[in-house]
């Protein structure tokens, strides 16, 4: 049973998640959850997908309350491609306990689990989204804890709040944006106003063929197949208004 203060605190965290736009906001949310749920650390990652190449090319990771040595080792040795917690997100779409992923993959992740434990990461909760319907991004939010210091209400609070924290990662600015040129950004802006290739070319003073050339580059950079997808993803990434 949650106390009145816990319910108010939980609502405050949810509201903060709705307003969060940068890493400072995430840090404030971590501090609130640390006080409310008695967690130790928080880790958030977002990338084009959980595929190894996508994680390396477009991944962004945020860690608070985690040993700095673990962050360096995790990124330096590309642990995201073998991390059982990350991999388990493709199996379970809801909040889960870390040990569920360790049990699922068995002996093949024992060495990883032992290495993480050396940095104080023995237990926690996580939730992941394997693919966003518009941007095709993947995200995961995970918190570490010492379960011996948590009561049932705090376990419940973590399960309720993690989905709200993870939802932050699909907003503009949290995914590393591809390198879009000024001209490409301009054709995207006109395309968002339903202008045709010919109309965009006329407005910009370039040929229709050049407009199509820009869009082919945009499709490749954004990993999309058509104009509609390109515009939607550009809005999500904050490339255009």
């Amino acid at each position: 049973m949650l106390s009145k203060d816990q319910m108010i605190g939980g609502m405050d965290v949810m509201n903060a998640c709705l307003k969060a736009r940068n890493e400072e906001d995430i840090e404030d949310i971590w501090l609130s959850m640390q006080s409310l749920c008695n967690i130790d650390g928080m880790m958030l990652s977002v990338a084009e997908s959980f595929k190894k190449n996508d994680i390396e090319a477009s991944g962004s990771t945020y860690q608070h309350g985690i040993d700095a040595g673990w962050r360096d080792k995790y990124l330096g040795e590309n642990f995201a491609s073998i991390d059982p917690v990350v991999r388990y997100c493709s199996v379970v779409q809801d909040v889960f306990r870390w040990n569920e992923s360790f049990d699922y993959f068995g002996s093949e992740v024992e060495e990883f689990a032992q290495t993480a434990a050396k940095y104080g990461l023995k237990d926690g909760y996580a939730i992941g989204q394997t693919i966003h319907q518009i941007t095709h991004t993947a995200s995961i939010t995970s918190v570490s804890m010492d379960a011996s210091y948590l009561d049932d209400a705090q376990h419940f609070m973590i399960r309720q709040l993690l989905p709200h924290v993870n939802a932050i990662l699909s907003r503009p600015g949290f995914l590393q944006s591809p390198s879009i040129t000024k001209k490409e950004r301009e054709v995207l802006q006109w395309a968002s106003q339903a202008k045709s290739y010919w109309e965009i070319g006329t407005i910009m003073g370039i040929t229709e063929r050049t407009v199509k050339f820009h869009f082919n580059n945009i499709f490749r950079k954004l990993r999309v197949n058509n104009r509609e997808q390109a515009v939607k993803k550009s809005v999500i990434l904050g490339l255009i208004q």
Side-chain angles (χ1 to χ4, degrees):
M1 184 70 178
L2 298 180
S3 67
K4 181 179 179 180
D5 287 342
Q6 286 175 319
M7 286 189 285
I8 293 173
M11 291 178 65
D12 287 343
V13 170
M14 291 180 189
N15 287 331
C17 289
L18 290 173
K19 299 175 182 178
R21 291 296 183 273
N22 52 51
E23 190 168 3
E24 286 186 8
D25 293 336
I26 291 178
E27 184 174 10
D28 289 342
I29 290 168
W30 163 62
L31 291 171
S32 295
M33 287 189 64
Q34 190 178 42
S35 175
L36 187 64
C37 306
N38 211 22
I39 62 172
D40 296 326
M42 178 179 285
M43 298 159 283
L44 304 93
S45 296
V46 60
E48 286 285 355
S49 77
F50 281 139
K51 294 179 180 179
K52 179 179 178 180
N53 291 339
D54 290 341
I55 292 173
E56 293 176 343
S58 64
S60 297
T61 301
Y62 310 90
Q63 296 187 5
H64 299 283
I66 305 297
D67 189 310
W70 173 251
R71 176 187 173 87
D72 294 340
K73 190 173 185 65
Y74 192 95
L75 297 176
E77 299 188 24
N78 189 33
F79 275 176
S81 63
I82 62 171
D83 188 341
V85 175
V86 173
R87 293 162 60 193
Y88 197 58
C89 290
S90 63
V91 179
V92 176
Q93 302 300 311
D94 202 356
V95 178
F96 60 88
R97 193 87 170 256
W98 288 1
N99 62 352
E100 294 177 42
S101 68
F102 298 155
D103 292 342
Y104 184 85
F105 292 105
S107 59
E108 68 176 280
V109 299
E110 285 182 0
E111 184 177 352
F112 176 90
Q114 291 170 2
T115 302
K118 292 178 181 178
Y119 291 87
L121 302 172
K122 299 178 182 179
D123 195 3
Y125 284 96
I127 183 172
Q129 176 177 269
T130 56
I131 188 168
H132 189 279
Q133 62 179 351
I134 296 175
T135 64
H136 303 291
T137 57
S139 61
I140 179 171
T141 298
S142 186
V143 294
S144 60
M145 65 188 185
D146 183 340
S148 62
Y149 292 103
L150 273 68
D151 57 29
D152 289 343
Q154 289 169 325
H155 281 279
F156 176 80
M157 290 292 292
I158 292 173
R159 287 185 171 275
Q160 298 305 307
L161 295 176
L162 274 192
H164 295 275
V165 180
N166 195 56
I168 297 170
L169 299 173
S170 63
R171 297 190 190 129
F174 284 96
L175 180 66
Q176 188 176 354
S177 298
S179 178
I180 299 294
T181 68
K182 183 179 179 180
K183 289 290 187 182
E184 290 166 353
R185 195 184 300 265
E186 189 174 352
V187 299
L188 278 168
Q189 192 68 59
W190 288 117
S192 70
Q193 298 178 34
K195 301 296 184 182
S196 68
Y197 287 131
W198 180 84
E199 289 173 321
I200 293 172
T202 300
I203 293 169
M204 294 179 61
I206 57 179
T207 67
E208 185 175 351
R209 180 178 179 181
T210 301
V211 174
K212 292 180 178 179
F213 172 80
H214 286 315
F215 269 107
N216 285 333
N217 285 335
I218 291 167
F219 296 160
R220 174 177 54 80
K221 291 178 180 180
L222 297 184
R223 301 183 187 184
V224 296
N225 299 315
N226 55 54
R227 281 181 42 163
E228 182 181 5
Q229 292 175 354
V231 169
K232 287 182 178 180
K233 189 165 184 178
S234 296
V235 171
I236 291 295
L237 294 175
L239 297 173
I240 60 174
Q241 297 296 318

